[in-house]
Each structure stands twice: as C-alpha cells, then as structure tokens.
C-alpha cells in the first residue's frame, strides 16, 4: 500500500502536468495543484507548500515567495495556528508588493480580510476594522462587487461584536437587497439583523424577520433553528415565556438536522443554555438543570478549541447557580470550580494570542531588518570611496542633529503621556476602591442577594475598565457604557435611591466623538455622595452632553443639598478624583495643545452643576 505522502506527491505531479499543458507558470501550476489537494490531504499540502516556498526563496522567485506565504497563512488559519497564520498573511502582503501577477488584487483583498477575521476572533476589533477597511478600499478600487459585499458583511459583524448594534444593523440593511434570495449569505444577513434587533430591544422586528426566514427556508434545513432560537430570546425578553419555550423546542428540533462535526453540537449547546435561562426565569429549576446537564455532555465530547470559547464554558457557571438554587451547595461549588478552570484557560489563550502585540512586533522586526540592511549598504559604500565617506559624514552629522532635536521633542511628549497614564492609574484604584467598599458594606449588612448582583455588575465594570486601562482617549459611547454601569452600582447602595438621566445633543455622534477617559465619573460620584444621597427624598442626576463650536460640553447636574460655591468645599467637592481629573486635563493640554475647562456652580438647598468643556477633535 502506498503511504499518504507518496499518493499526494503522485497526484501533485499529475495535476502539475495537466496545468503545464494549460500554460500556467511553474510555481503557479504547483500551487494550484496543492490547493486542489489540500482539502483531502491538509497535512501533506502544508508540507508541500513549505517545500515549494523554500524552492522559490532559493530561486528568488518573488511570486513563489508571496504565494507561498499566502497559502501557508490559509493552512495555519484553518489548523488553528493563528500566530503563524498572521505572520504569513502579513508576509504575503509585504512580499506581494514586490511583484505583479494576474490574481494579485484578489489575493490582497483576501489577505486583509482573513487577517481581520482572526483579529475578530481574539476581540482585537480596532485591528479587525482597520484591515477590513483596507480590504474594502482595494475591492472598491478594483470594482470587485462580490468582495465588496463580503467586506461590508464582515464590517457589520465587527460592529455587532463591538456592541454597536445600530451601526451593524444599518450596514446589513444596505447589503441585504444585494444578496440573492435563498442563498446562505442572504439568510446569514437576516440572522444577524435579527440578533441586532434583539439587542436593541426591538422584539417585534426580531420576530418578523425570524418568521420570514422560517417561511423561506426549506423543510429539514438546520438553519431554521436560528430564527426559532432568536424568537425564543425575543419572547423571553418581552416576558412571553410560553411562546419562548415553544420556539426553543423548535430550535432544538431543527438542530438535529445539522450534521457539521463541530458547529452542529455548538449550536445545540447554545440553544440549551438560553432555554435553561428561560426556565430559571420561570422558576422551573429542575428543567433548567436537565437542559444544562445535556449541554455539558456535549461540551465534554467536543475535541477542539471551540470548547474554550467564553459563551461555551459559561454553561458551568449556570449549572453552579442552578445547583445553588436547588440547595445542593457541594455540586454548586464543584461546577464553580470547573467554571474557574475553564475561565483561566480562556484568559491564558487570549493572553497568549495578543494580536496587537503580535502585529506590532512584526512591524518592529521589519523596521529593524530594514535598518540593518541600510547599515550594511552604508558600510559597502564607505569602503568603496574615501571621498564619499567625507560627503556622507557631513550628511550624517546634519541628520544626527535633526534626529537629536526630534528625539528631544519625542522624550518631552512621552514624558507628558507617562504623567497622564500615571494620573489615570491613580483614578482607577480610587474608583474601584469605592465600589469594593459598597460590596463590603452589603456583606456586613447580610444583604447577600444585593451583594451578588453588585458583584456581577462590578465584574462587568472591571472588564470595561481593563479594556480601557491603557487608553487616554476613548469613544464617547464606551465612556457612557462604563458610567451607566457605575451609576447602576451606586443606585443599589443609596438608601432612598435616585434617578439618572442622560441627554445627548442630536449633533453629538457618540460612536464618532472621542473624550478623555475617566473624567466624568468623579463628578458623578460627587453628585451622588455629596448631593442626592444626603436628601431625605429621591434625588435626580442629569448628564447632559452638547456640541458647541469645536467643543464638547458635559454637564453633571444634581438636585442635592448643594454647597456654598464661594467658599472652599469641606465635604468632598474638591475630592481626590476631581483633583486628579484637573491635573490630567492640564497635562493633556500640555501634550496635545487642546484646552479644557472645569466649572462648578452650586447653591445650598438647590443642588450642584459641574461643567466640563474640551475639544471635540481629540484623537
């Protein structure tokens, strides 16, 4: 019997000969042959591609080198070796710039698009958007309509995964009419629209689109599970629990038609988990447990990295909660431990594949290689002519003087940025210390239910703060999300409660406007703890954001006890958080040249108004 490798090499030779008769070049015909054989023999295809790229490098065949890196990127991508895939895609882009060939433009589009898909997987959404947009630019310049649609689809998914459901929905509505009815891509767009409507709490629209999908999909098609599942979520959220249960049951029925080896079981688990949440809401805990146990068995049977996805191992956390509700604390602790182990693996996986660091390291290495190559060229030139050495020395002296000035300026800017980050690092612990204090007080008061709710929200808040830990400037919408979580935490703690309202000028575009991070929170904190919390009745805080000429004006208004603003405050309105904000804004002015203003107006018995103004052009 012939080994697999020998079979593949014989097939490769036969396919190569066929392509030779069709007039293909040597490397092109061999790469095409490998591509044809890769689905059936992926390991052998990878090895043959490595050998062929090595041959191309020996012959300095630029096409062979670029194409070899591209195909290696695809094979590593499919095999889950993402760092190798990223490196080879980036090398394919760089090497491809040095050569022209027929399908170069389509290769470039796919290289950027595939990179964006990897960055999305590891939540590097800024990188994903950057590379997807670059692919779209190339597709539009070459009028490649099929790729243009694919890339708009990809960008809609990026927006959805970032939580910008309105923008994702807008893109999907634009591309839906261009998708051919009945095709996979058409139903994929409808499904994503349904998810976005759910997230935007537009449940009637979710149900409408889902019913349209069910009508248009043929009987026995597993894809019918998706609209049934989405309707189950919509009915659950709107409190129509009986209808939700029917839809989840229909979803599970159609999931059985999905024969895909890994994606099929994943879909089943997804439905089981969401179905169990419905039963928890209706207090049918045994039913919820039964569904989660079924899901656990499926997870244990899957042998792939999918089982380490965040939404997947959350099943263990749900099981822990269910057993706690049933009074079986031993099982609850057991599943909590399972959840924590899976969470640790998840964190390790994503830390191991930090895409921003990976890409930065790649370009730093390329820059280093470029400098080394330049240095080698200089040495050759210097050794060739003494006269040229004298001329070069003169030029280098002038260049070094310029670099010294530039380096001095950069050090000054870097110093200011370091001070800014140091101040922000003081604000975050101050912010988090107060939140932990609240949790501690609930535990001491034996209010375990509120403490648990507080901890869940605190965890979400921690994640958002960590995501922005190295950012001095962030989009307004992300800052508002963080503030919403903070206020919800404090509303749990203030005895008599308070209302919180956000008013945003229609001229302000939250997803397009940037502001300094963590500058509003200290003023909200003052409004809560030195304002409305001291009232005997329910208070109110309003956050108002308006667009002025080249400025953004933020007002934090409370109807609390107020203070005499003509005298120094004794109760915290000049708190550590506010002081740190003032210092940060002053340093930001020195670093960027952009001015900021803070004004505080207050009257005893009538409340306080804090006003912040800064440029609406921060980047």
């Amino acid at each position: 019997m012939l080994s697999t490798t020998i079979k593949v090499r014989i097939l490769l030779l036969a396919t190569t000969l066929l392509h030779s008769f069709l007039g293909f070049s040597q490397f092109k015909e061999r790469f095409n042959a490998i591509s044809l054989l890769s689905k059936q023999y992926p390991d052998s295809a990878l090895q043959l591609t490595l050998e062929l790229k090595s041959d191309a490098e020996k012959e300095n065949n630029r096409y062979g080198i670029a194409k070899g890196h591209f195909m290696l990127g695809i094979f590593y991508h499919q095999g889950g070796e993402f760092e190798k895939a990223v490196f080879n895609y980036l090398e394919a882009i760089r090497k491809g710039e040095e050569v022209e060939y027929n399908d170069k433009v389509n290769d470039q589009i796919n290289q950027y698009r595939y990179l964006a898909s990897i960055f999305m997987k590891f939540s590097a959404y800024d990188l994903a958007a950057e590379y997807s947009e670059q692919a779209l630019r190339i597709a539009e310049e070459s009028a490649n309509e099929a790729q243009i649609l694919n890339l708009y689809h990809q960008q809609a998914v990026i927006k959805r995964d970032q939580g910008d459901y309105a923008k994702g929905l807008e893109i999907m509505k634009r591309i839906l009419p261009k998708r051919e009815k009945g095709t996979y891509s058409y139903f994929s767009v409808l499904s994503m629209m349904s998810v976005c409507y759910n997230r935007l709490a537009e449940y009637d629209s979710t149900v409408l689109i889902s019913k349209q999908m069910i009508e248009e999909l043929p009987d026995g098609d597993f894809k019918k599970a998706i609209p049934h599942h989405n309707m189950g979520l919509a009915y659950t959220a709107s409190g129509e629990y009986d209808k939700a249960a029917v839809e989840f049951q229909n979803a599970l029925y159609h999931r059985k038609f999905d024969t895909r080896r890994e994606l099929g079981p994943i879909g089943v688990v997804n439905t089981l988990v969401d179905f169990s949440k419905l039963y928890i809401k209706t207090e049918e805990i045994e039913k919820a447990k039964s569904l989660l146990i079924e899901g656990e068995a499926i997870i244990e049977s899957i042998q792939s990295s999918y089982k380490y996805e965040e939404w997947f191992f959350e099943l263990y956390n749900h099981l822990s909660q269910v057993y706690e509700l049933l009074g079986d604390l031993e099982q609850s602790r057991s599943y909590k431990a399972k959840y924590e182990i899976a969470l640790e693996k998840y964190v390790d996986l994503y830390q191991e594949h930090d895409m921003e660091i990976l890409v930065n390291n790649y370009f730093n290495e390329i820059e280093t290689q470029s400098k080394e190559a330049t240095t080698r060229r200089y040495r050759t030139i210097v050794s060739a002519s003494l006269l040229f050495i004298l001329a070069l020395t003169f030029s280098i002296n002038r260049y070094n003087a310029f670099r010294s000035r530039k380096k001095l300026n950069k050090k000054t800017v870097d110093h200011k940025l370091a001070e800014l980050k140091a101040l922000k690092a003081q604000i975050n612990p101050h912010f988090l210390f107060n939140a932990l204090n609240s949790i501690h007080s609930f535990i001491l008061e034996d209010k375990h239910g509120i403490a648990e709710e507080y901890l869940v929200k605190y965890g979400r808040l921690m994640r958002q703060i960590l995501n922005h830990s190295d950012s001095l400037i962030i989009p307004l919408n992300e800052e508002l999300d963080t503030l919403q979580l903070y206020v919800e935490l404090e509303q749990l703690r203030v005895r008599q409660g308070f209302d919180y309202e956000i008013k945003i000028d229609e001229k302000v575009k939250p997803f397009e406007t940037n502001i300094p991070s963590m500058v509003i929170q200290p003023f909200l904190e003052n409004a809560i703890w030195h304002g409305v919390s001291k009232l005997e009745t329910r208070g109110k805080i309003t956050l108002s954001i308006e667009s002025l000429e080249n400025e953004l004006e933020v007002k934090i208004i409370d109807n609390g006890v107020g203070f005499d603003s003509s005298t120094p405050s004794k109760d915290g309105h000049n708190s550590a958080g506010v002081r740190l904000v003032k210092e940060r804004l002053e340093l930001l002015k020195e670093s960027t040249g952009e001015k900021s203003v803070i004004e505080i107006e207050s009257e005893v018995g009538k409340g306080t108004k804090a006003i912040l103004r800064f440029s609406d052009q921060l980047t």
Side-chain angles (χ1 to χ4, degrees):
M1 293 289 289
L2 292 174
S3 69
T4 300
T5 304
I6 294 173
K7 284 182 184 177
V8 171
R9 290 185 183 277
I10 292 171
L11 286 167
L12 177 62
L13 176 61
T15 312
T16 302
L17 289 171
L18 174 61
H19 285 163
S20 297
F21 285 117
L22 296 175
F24 294 150
S25 68
Q26 176 196 2
F27 281 101
K28 184 170 184 177
E29 66 199 25
R30 291 166 71 186
F31 278 125
N32 285 342
I34 291 172
S35 182
L36 287 172
L37 299 171
S38 62
K39 287 187 178 180
Q40 193 170 358
Y41 305 104
D43 292 339
S44 298
L46 174 62
Q47 182 58 40
L48 290 168
T49 303
L50 286 166
E51 293 174 9
L52 189 51
K53 183 177 77 70
S54 177
D55 291 345
E57 288 168 342
K58 289 174 186 174
E59 298 178 23
N60 196 27
N61 185 294
R62 293 179 178 180
Y63 167 81
I65 295 169
K67 196 72 173 181
H69 278 297
F70 183 27
M71 289 188 64
L72 286 173
I74 292 171
F75 294 147
Y76 286 131
H77 191 169
Q78 291 170 344
E81 296 186 67
F82 298 108
E83 291 194 7
K84 289 182 179 180
V86 168
F87 170 78
N88 279 282
Y89 285 145
L90 290 172
E91 279 290 89
I93 292 170
R94 188 169 71 92
K95 298 294 185 182
E97 291 172 355
E98 302 171 359
V99 63
E100 295 297 327
Y101 57 95
N102 289 339
D103 52 348
K104 174 180 174 177
V105 171
N106 201 53
D107 280 359
Q108 284 181 321
I109 294 169
N110 284 328
Q111 286 152 11
Y112 282 106
R113 184 161 68 94
Y114 297 163
L115 278 166
S117 71
I118 293 176
F119 298 149
M120 287 164 62
K121 179 178 178 63
F122 290 95
S123 303
Y125 295 118
D126 290 341
L127 271 179
E130 177 186 339
Y131 278 75
S132 184
E133 285 163 9
Q134 178 61 25
L136 181 59
R137 279 194 289 274
I138 298 170
E140 288 178 335
E141 286 169 6
S142 60
N144 189 326
E145 289 299 324
Q147 287 281 31
I148 289 170
L149 276 178
N150 289 337
L151 289 159
Y152 274 124
H153 193 128
Q154 185 178 62
Q155 289 180 13
V157 175
I158 292 170
K159 291 297 181 185
R160 180 200 67 186
D161 290 350
Q162 282 181 303
D164 188 352
Y165 302 111
K167 186 64 178 178
L169 191 58
E170 177 191 323
I171 296 172
M172 286 181 275
K173 284 180 178 178
R174 197 160 65 241
I175 64 175
L176 181 62
K178 298 178 182 179
R179 293 296 193 189
E180 184 182 348
K181 276 195 172 187
T183 61
Y184 174 81
S185 58
Y186 169 77
F187 288 117
S188 177
V189 173
L190 284 177
S191 178
M192 286 202 299
M193 288 175 66
S194 176
V195 170
C196 289
Y197 278 128
N198 247 339
R199 295 291 187 173
L200 293 167
E202 296 183 32
Y203 303 123
D204 289 344
S205 297
T206 298
V207 171
L208 188 66
I209 285 185
S210 298
K211 286 182 176 179
Q212 179 185 341
M213 287 181 67
I214 292 166
E215 287 176 7
E216 294 182 5
L217 283 164
D219 291 337
D221 192 323
F222 73 87
K223 290 190 288 295
K224 278 193 172 185
I226 298 168
H228 282 298
H229 187 127
N230 288 338
M231 280 200 289
L233 292 173
Y235 285 135
T236 300
S238 60
E240 298 180 77
Y241 299 140
D242 290 341
K243 288 183 179 179
V246 170
E247 295 306 330
F248 282 131
Q249 286 164 356
N250 285 335
L252 287 174
Y253 169 77
H254 286 94
R255 292 284 188 199
K256 71 181 182 181
F257 297 112
D258 190 349
T259 57
R260 293 174 297 176
R261 187 167 58 89
E262 289 181 347
L263 294 178
I266 287 170
V268 174
V269 173
N270 195 11
T271 299
L272 289 170
V273 169
D274 285 336
F275 199 174
S276 74
K277 292 177 185 176
L278 169 66
Y279 281 137
I280 291 172
K281 279 181 178 288
T282 58
E283 299 182 355
E284 297 175 86
I285 310 303
E286 283 291 348
K287 289 183 179 180
K289 184 185 82 170
S290 176
L291 292 172
L292 292 170
I293 292 293
E294 184 180 345
E296 180 190 21
I298 295 171
I299 289 178
E300 299 299 334
S301 70
I302 292 176
Q303 301 298 319
S304 82
S305 61
Y306 281 115
K307 68 193 301 179
Y308 302 123
E309 294 292 339
E310 182 181 14
W311 59 269
F312 223 159
F313 63 73
E314 278 290 340
L315 178 140
Y316 298 131
N317 198 31
H318 293 309
L319 270 168
S320 174
Q321 294 169 1
V322 162
Y323 276 111
E324 184 177 2
L325 290 170
L326 292 171
D328 190 340
L329 298 183
E330 184 178 350
Q331 280 283 51
S332 176
R333 285 192 292 270
S334 172
Y335 278 108
K336 179 62 74 176
K338 261 190 162 184
Y339 167 72
E340 288 169 355
I341 291 169
L343 178 62
E344 187 177 347
K345 287 181 180 178
Y346 169 78
V347 171
D348 289 345
L349 176 69
Y350 278 74
Q351 285 179 343
E352 181 185 345
H353 299 291
D354 189 318
M355 290 299 150
E356 291 188 0
I357 292 175
L358 182 64
V359 172
N360 285 338
N361 287 346
Y362 170 81
F363 285 109
N364 287 339
E365 180 64 25
I366 295 301
E367 187 178 354
T368 301
Q369 290 175 7
S370 177
K371 286 179 179 177
E372 289 174 353
T374 301
T375 302
R376 286 195 296 272
R377 285 196 296 272
Y378 281 159
R379 287 174 180 168
T380 303
I381 293 169
V382 167
S383 63
S385 169
L386 179 61
L387 181 62
F388 187 75
I389 290 175
L390 294 173
L392 184 62
T393 302
F394 175 74
S395 300
I396 289 174
N397 284 338
R398 294 195 64 182
Y399 176 67
N400 283 341
F402 168 75
R403 278 191 72 183
S404 296
R405 290 195 300 274
K406 186 175 180 181
K407 192 172 183 180
L408 183 61
N409 291 336
K410 185 177 186 302
K411 281 184 177 178
T412 302
V413 172
D414 287 348
H415 177 69
K416 295 298 180 187
L417 288 175
E419 288 186 58
L420 278 167
K421 288 184 178 179
L423 281 172
K424 186 178 178 202
Q426 293 176 50
I427 290 175
N428 281 346
H430 170 81
F431 181 18
L432 299 177
F433 173 79
N434 290 338
L436 284 171
N437 246 351
S438 300
I439 296 169
H440 183 243
S441 68
F442 287 135
I443 293 171
L444 289 178
E445 294 168 15
D446 206 26
K447 296 179 180 177
H448 298 298
I450 299 176
E452 185 176 350
E453 183 181 354
Y454 207 106
L455 273 170
V456 171
K457 290 188 176 181
Y458 177 72
R460 289 172 56 202
L461 184 60
M462 275 290 293
R463 176 178 289 188
Q464 292 205 18
I465 290 174
L466 288 172
N467 285 343
H468 300 144
S469 61
D470 202 37
S471 303
L472 299 173
I473 305 294
I474 66 169
L476 174 59
N477 70 294
E478 294 181 15
E479 183 76 342
L480 291 175
D481 287 345
T482 302
L483 293 174
Q484 181 67 39
L485 272 175
Y486 168 72
V487 171
E488 287 176 8
L489 286 170
E490 298 293 38
Q491 282 174 324
L492 288 171
R493 188 178 167 202
V494 174
R495 178 178 53 81
Q496 71 276 27
F498 65 91
D499 296 319
Y500 174 60
E501 180 182 21
I502 301 176
K503 294 181 179 179
I504 302 178
D505 183 350
E506 62 181 13
K507 295 178 185 176
V508 177
K509 308 296 183 187
F511 292 94
E512 300 170 13
T513 303
N514 292 328
I515 68 166
S517 64
M518 291 293 291
V519 296
I520 300 175
Q521 183 275 331
F523 294 95
L524 270 177
E525 183 177 328
N526 277 352
I528 295 168
W529 293 110
H530 304 297
V532 298
S533 71
K534 297 188 176 182
L535 294 172
E536 293 300 321
T537 58
R538 190 175 182 85
K540 182 175 181 180
I541 298 174
T542 301
L543 175 61
S544 166
I545 302 173
E546 294 184 57
S547 177
L548 306 180
E549 187 175 353
N550 298 323
E551 282 189 327
L552 202 66
E553 181 177 79
V554 178
K555 295 178 186 173
I556 302 97
I557 305 166
D558 69 72
N559 67 343
V561 295
F563 65 98
D564 186 352
S565 57
S566 64
T567 60
S569 173
K570 295 180 182 179
D571 66 353
H573 276 280
N574 290 317
S575 66
V578 174
R579 176 179 57 78
L580 291 171
V581 167
K582 289 179 178 178
E583 291 179 30
R584 282 188 70 225
L585 292 177
E586 187 60 32
L587 282 170
L588 192 65
K589 174 187 171 184
E590 292 180 37
S591 300
T592 66
E594 299 289 356
K595 295 181 181 179
S596 303
V597 175
I598 297 178
E599 298 173 359
I600 298 178
E601 303 170 4
S602 189
E603 186 176 344
V604 175
K606 292 191 175 179
T608 303
K609 179 194 296 182
I611 303 170
L612 294 84
R613 297 190 196 94
F614 29 76
S615 169
D616 61 1
Q617 302 297 317
L618 293 175
T619 57

